[in-house]
Amino acid sequence: MLSAVESPSKIESQTTYFRCAAGCPGKHSIFDVIYTCPICGSLLEVHHEREPLKERSASEWKQLFASRASTTTWPYGSGVWGLREWVIPSLADENVVSMFEGNTNLFWAERLGKQLGVPDLWIKLCGNSHTGSFKDLGMTVLVSVVKQMMAQGSSVKAVACASTGDTSAALAAYAAYAGIPAVIFLPAGKVSTAQLIQPVANGAHVLALDTDFDGCMRIVKEVTQDDSIYLANSMNSLRIEGQKTVGIEIVRQFDWEVPDWIIIPVGNLGNISALYKGFTLMKDLGLINRMPRLVAAQAAQANPFYQSFKNGFKEKVTITAQDTLANAIRIGDPVSYSKAIKAITETDGIVEQATENELAEAAATADLTGMFTCPHTGVALAVLTKLINRGVIKSSDKTVVVSTAHGLKFTDFKVGYHESALKDVDSRHANPAVHLPADADAVKTEIEKRLSRL
C-alpha cells in the first residue's frame, strides 16, 4: 500500500488519476493499489481534469456518444465504454473486460405514473444487464483496470469483495470472463438463492461468514491489506466511474434533457455518489445546465443515512442493520457516506425511508402495471409515493426511479408476497394460483368469479 503523497508512477502528465475526496494534496495512479488517502484516510475519487476534455465542445461530445451507442465496434457498444474518455481513457482495448453492459431501457411507466399522479414517470431498468443488476457498470471498469495492472506486472493475483448479493454476482462474472480469481464474502443465510448461485456458478471462491454485511466488509478490508488481493467494493472509486454512466445515459436517452427528480435505493451509498459525479461532469463540460434533485431511498430497517439526514448531517449515524426484504441495502455503516452527503446537499436532495409493508406493496402495485420489481426498487417506489402524497414531487415533474436489479433475482420475495407469508407485510395484492380439478364447469365458475371482481 502506498504511504507517500505522490505515487511512484509518472502521473503528473496524466489527466485521469486518484485524488483525495476530502481535498488533501496529491495524485495517485489509477493502476496503483490504493483505496484511501494516505494523509487523512478519506476515500479517493477518480478525477478527470476538465481542460483537456473541453477541447471537444458539448455538441461534439453528444455526437460522439450518439455514434457509439449500441454499436458492435469494440468496446464502444458498452454503455460504459462508449464514454471511455470520461471513464478510464488510458485503458488499452485488449484489457477492456466488457459484456456490453449499460444501454438499458428507460421505461415509460405510463400506467403506474397515471395511478400515482405523475404521468411523466420513468423507470431506469438497470437490472436488464448481464448479471441482473447495475453493479455490472462498476465492475467492468474495476476488472478491466485490474487486468491492465496484471499485464503490467502488478502483484495483484485476485479480486475480492464483501457483498449482499449483486456485487458478488457482478465481480464473479467479470473476473471469470477475464480469467482472474475472485474471492466472495457473503453474510451466511442473508442472500437469495438466485444471488448465491451466480458467483458459485462462475467459479468464484465463495465464503459465507456468520455475520452481516458490515462484518464481511471488515474482514475483506483486512484481507486486502495484502496487495496480492485487490478490493472490489464501492469504497474503491473505480466502481463509481462505471456507475456514474447511469446518470449520463438517462440524460442522453432524454435527448440531453435533465429530469426534475431521480430516486434511487441506497445502502453503501456508492450509487447516489456516482449519479452526482456523472451529472457534475456533464454540467462542467456544458452538456447540461442544471442538476436533478436526487433522492436516496432507504429501507426503514437499515436507515443510517436517513437518520443522519434527519439530524442535518451533524454526525454520521451507524447502526446494526435489521432484517429487511431489501437485503442488498441492509447496511448499517455505509462506506461512501461523505460523498453521498455532497450528492444530497448540492442537489437540494432528500433522504426518505420505507417500511417493509410499504416497499412490498409498492413493488406489487408496480407489478400490476406490467413491471417485475425487485424489493429495492420497491423501496424507491414507496419513497416516490410518499413524496407525491406530501406534494414534494408535482404532477408536472419529470421523475426517474432507478431500478437497481432484476426481479427474477428475488423470486422468494415475490412468492412470499403472493402467499401472504412475509413478516410485517399485508399482502393486499396477493394473487396466488388456484388449484382446480380438471373440470370445465369448475374452471368457468372460477373465471366468472374472478372477472366479476374487476
Side-chain angles (χ1 to χ4, degrees):
M1 193 73 64
L2 293 174
S3 57
V5 173
E6 297 290 335
S7 72
S9 54
K10 296 180 179 179
I11 57 177
E12 289 75 17
S13 62
Q14 295 182 8
T15 59
T16 302
Y17 46 82
F18 285 136
R19 70 177 186 182
C20 175
C24 295
K27 302 176 182 179
H28 312 278
S29 169
I30 57 174
F31 300 106
D32 285 334
V33 181
I34 183 170
Y35 314 112
T36 57
C37 174
I39 296 176
C40 72
S42 296
L43 293 183
L44 299 175
E45 63 180 0
V46 176
H47 178 68
H48 299 267
E49 291 184 2
R50 300 305 198 244
E51 290 307 313
L53 295 177
K54 289 180 180 179
E55 292 176 5
R56 276 195 177 97
S57 68
S59 61
E60 287 172 332
W61 281 119
K62 292 176 183 179
Q63 291 171 11
L64 177 64
F65 295 154
S67 72
R68 292 173 174 173
S70 300
T71 182
T72 56
T73 303
W74 183 264
Y76 298 115
S78 161
V80 174
W81 298 108
L83 310 174
R84 72 181 305 170
E85 293 85 355
W86 291 10
V87 180
I88 307 292
S90 58
L91 196 74
D93 279 0
E94 63 268 21
N95 292 324
V96 173
V97 182
S98 173
M99 302 183 194
F100 276 25
E101 51 288 311
N103 289 321
T104 53
N105 183 21
L106 186 57
F107 171 72
W108 182 27
E110 180 182 18
R111 187 176 171 207
L112 179 62
K114 287 180 178 178
Q115 289 178 6
L116 296 177
V118 283
D120 207 359
L121 175 63
W122 302 77
I123 313 295
K124 180 61 171 170
L125 296 174
C126 292
N128 292 359
S129 191
H130 182 72
T131 72
S133 86
F134 79 101
K135 299 295 179 73
D136 291 353
L137 302 173
M139 217 55 80
T140 182
V141 176
L142 184 141
V143 176
S144 295
V145 169
V146 170
K147 186 177 179 183
Q148 183 147 320
M149 291 167 63
M150 294 173 75
Q152 294 171 349
S154 169
S155 62
V156 171
K157 304 298 181 187
V159 288
C161 75
S163 177
T164 49
D166 291 334
T167 298
S168 66
L171 179 61
Y174 281 82
Y177 190 35
I180 299 171
V183 184
I184 307 298
F185 297 83
L186 296 174
K190 295 182 175 66
V191 300
S192 72
T193 302
Q195 290 172 302
L196 174 62
I197 197 58
Q198 287 183 281
V200 169
N202 285 135
H205 304 285
V206 180
L207 308 176
L209 306 185
D210 293 325
T211 183
D212 57 10
F213 169 81
D214 297 308
C216 288
M217 193 67 215
R218 287 191 292 271
I219 297 295
V220 78
K221 286 197 290 188
E222 289 184 32
V223 170
T224 53
Q225 290 298 310
D226 177 353
D227 288 353
S228 66
I229 302 178
Y230 193 74
L231 179 64
N233 281 95
S234 59
M235 67 177 289
N236 186 321
S237 56
L238 291 173
R239 289 263 308 279
I240 303 302
E241 291 308 288
Q243 291 171 200
K244 78 182 182 188
T245 63
V246 172
I248 300 167
E249 199 167 287
I250 288 170
V251 175
R252 180 174 61 78
Q253 289 171 310
F254 280 142
D255 293 326
W256 302 100
E257 178 187 356
V258 178
D260 297 298
W261 297 90
I262 299 181
I263 304 171
I264 188 167
V266 300
N268 224 10
L269 304 179
N271 52 8
I272 195 164
S273 308
L275 274 178
Y276 173 74
K277 196 169 192 284
F279 276 97
T280 300
L281 181 56
M282 287 189 286
K283 193 169 185 292
D284 289 349
L285 297 180
L287 282 77
I288 60 175
N289 58 17
R290 68 181 182 89
M291 302 285 276
R293 294 186 70 180
L294 300 180
V295 179
Q298 289 215 291
Q301 296 287 89
N303 65 352
F305 195 53
Y306 171 75
Q307 292 189 41
S308 294
F309 175 75
K310 295 296 285 185
N311 71 34
F313 296 127
K314 292 178 182 177
E315 59 181 1
K316 179 181 179 180
V317 175
T318 60
I319 64 172
T320 299
Q322 304 302 304
D323 286 342
T324 173
L325 296 165
N327 61 15
I329 55 176
R330 185 180 185 263
I331 296 169
D333 187 10
V335 169
S336 297
Y337 175 79
S338 297
K339 291 181 179 181
I341 289 177
K342 189 174 184 181
I344 292 295
T345 56
E346 296 196 9
T347 65
D348 191 22
I350 294 171
V351 186
E352 186 53 87
Q353 65 176 354
T355 66
E356 298 299 284
N357 189 60
E358 288 168 342
L359 74 88
E361 290 302 319
T365 299
D367 288 355
L368 288 173
T369 67
M371 295 170 61
F372 193 66
T373 51
C374 70
H376 317 90
T377 305
V379 173
L381 289 170
V383 165
L384 165 69
T385 303
K386 286 185 173 184
L387 295 180
I388 293 170
N389 292 341
R390 293 209 303 254
V392 177
I393 293 180
K394 311 297 184 185
S395 62
S396 59
D397 288 345
K398 182 183 288 294
T399 305
V400 177
V401 170
V402 178
S403 177
T404 52
H406 200 290
L408 284 173
K409 300 182 80 169
F410 302 92
T411 52
D412 291 347
F413 163 66
K414 297 294 189 187
V415 171
Y417 179 87
H418 289 286
E419 291 182 348
S420 299
L422 297 180
K423 181 182 177 182
D424 300 324
V425 172
D426 177 17
S427 300
R428 293 186 301 111
H429 301 298
N431 184 32
V434 175
H435 183 80
L436 296 172
D439 177 82
D441 290 337
V443 170
K444 288 179 182 178
T445 299
E446 180 65 25
I447 291 174
E448 289 174 2
K449 180 174 69 174
R450 286 175 169 250
L451 293 181
S452 67
R453 299 171 186 165
L454 299 180

